[in-house]
Amino acid sequence: MFGVLFPNRSFPLDVSRFKQVDTFHWVLEMNMFVGDAYDQVKEICIFLLTEAALPPDRALAVYVQSPGSQFEYRGAVHVGCPSAVLPLLWPAAAIPTGAVLPPGGVPPTAQIGISVEPLASLPLQNVGWQKRVEEMALKVGQNLFNYMQSFSTVQGSMLLVPSDILDRWFKKFQDKAKVDPDFLNRFNV
């Protein structure tokens, strides 16, 4: 029906690697791959194996869950979009790593959930990409603000900067991108 892979971390995995909860739900325990370092797995590629894998009005929705948190939607694939690379953007864990468990207690793990759902009930845009773009915009904005502060004077609650500050910042930004095209990826989004 479907397969997944974690870019730069795994070979393709088919549905048999997931625990099937019921006819329309599967769960993958992340500790089988990375132990407690689940949050270092940043993306998932999910794909349908054939055109007949799903009816045209259904989709495979992808959810993530950190230890103790609720599942959060990240995106979907369907016959019209049979594969996607989705940012995982793990929610904050509700149970800290190394928490003391009751005797015989099983430590909670991070999970990826896959669910067959009506296509019409899912958001039009994959949520993971939308959140990633928002976080990247915030980081770029913070970088600009920090740059502006280094040239500013404060007058009351106002920040006074040279009139060409945006042009100077953007030139520096472009120069960094030319020297190191990968520098935006280190913004820790």
Side-chain angles (χ1 to χ4, degrees):
M1 175 180 235
F2 69 90
V4 302
L5 68 86
F6 301 100
N8 300 317
R9 291 192 161 267
S10 76
F11 291 101
L13 309 170
D14 69 6
V15 70
S16 69
R17 299 294 295 267
F18 286 72
K19 176 184 172 192
Q20 188 164 6
V21 178
D22 61 34
T23 307
F24 300 112
H25 298 91
W26 297 265
V27 173
L28 180 67
E29 301 280 341
M30 290 305 290
N31 67 344
M32 74 183 259
F33 293 110
V34 292
D36 289 338
Y38 66 90
D39 57 345
Q40 298 304 305
V41 180
K42 305 287 188 191
E43 296 176 318
I44 185 173
C45 175
I46 183 167
F47 50 91
L48 299 176
L49 295 175
T50 68
E51 284 182 57
L54 286 173
D57 65 336
R58 298 286 171 188
L60 282 178
V62 177
Y63 294 86
V64 295
Q65 179 186 46
S66 295
S69 75
Q70 298 294 314
F71 275 103
E72 291 186 11
Y73 176 76
R74 290 298 175 254
V77 293
H78 49 86
V79 174
C81 178
S83 64
V85 177
L86 305 171
L88 292 174
L89 300 171
W90 295 94
I95 298 172
T97 303
V100 178
L101 298 171
V106 177
T109 64
Q111 298 179 330
I112 294 178
I114 308 292
S115 175
V116 177
E117 299 182 14
L119 180 57
S121 71
L122 298 173
L124 294 176
Q125 187 177 24
N126 284 326
V127 173
W129 284 115
Q130 181 180 348
K131 285 186 177 190
R132 188 173 217 172
V133 167
E134 290 170 2
E135 288 179 2
M136 179 63 75
L138 180 62
K139 295 289 185 180
V140 169
Q142 288 172 335
N143 181 274
L144 171 59
F145 182 76
N146 291 340
Y147 184 79
M148 288 172 37
Q149 275 188 317
S150 68
F151 292 93
S152 69
T153 58
V154 177
Q155 194 174 59
S157 63
M158 305 269 294
L159 187 66
L160 301 175
V161 296
S163 60
D164 68 341
I165 195 72
L166 184 59
D167 293 330
R168 290 164 51 185
W169 169 81
F170 191 62
K171 172 78 171 111
K172 184 177 177 183
F173 197 86
Q174 288 176 312
D175 291 345
K176 278 185 183 178
K178 286 177 186 171
V179 172
D180 181 9
D182 201 40
F183 90 98
L184 276 176
N185 291 331
R186 288 191 302 282
F187 271 37
N188 294 324
V189 176

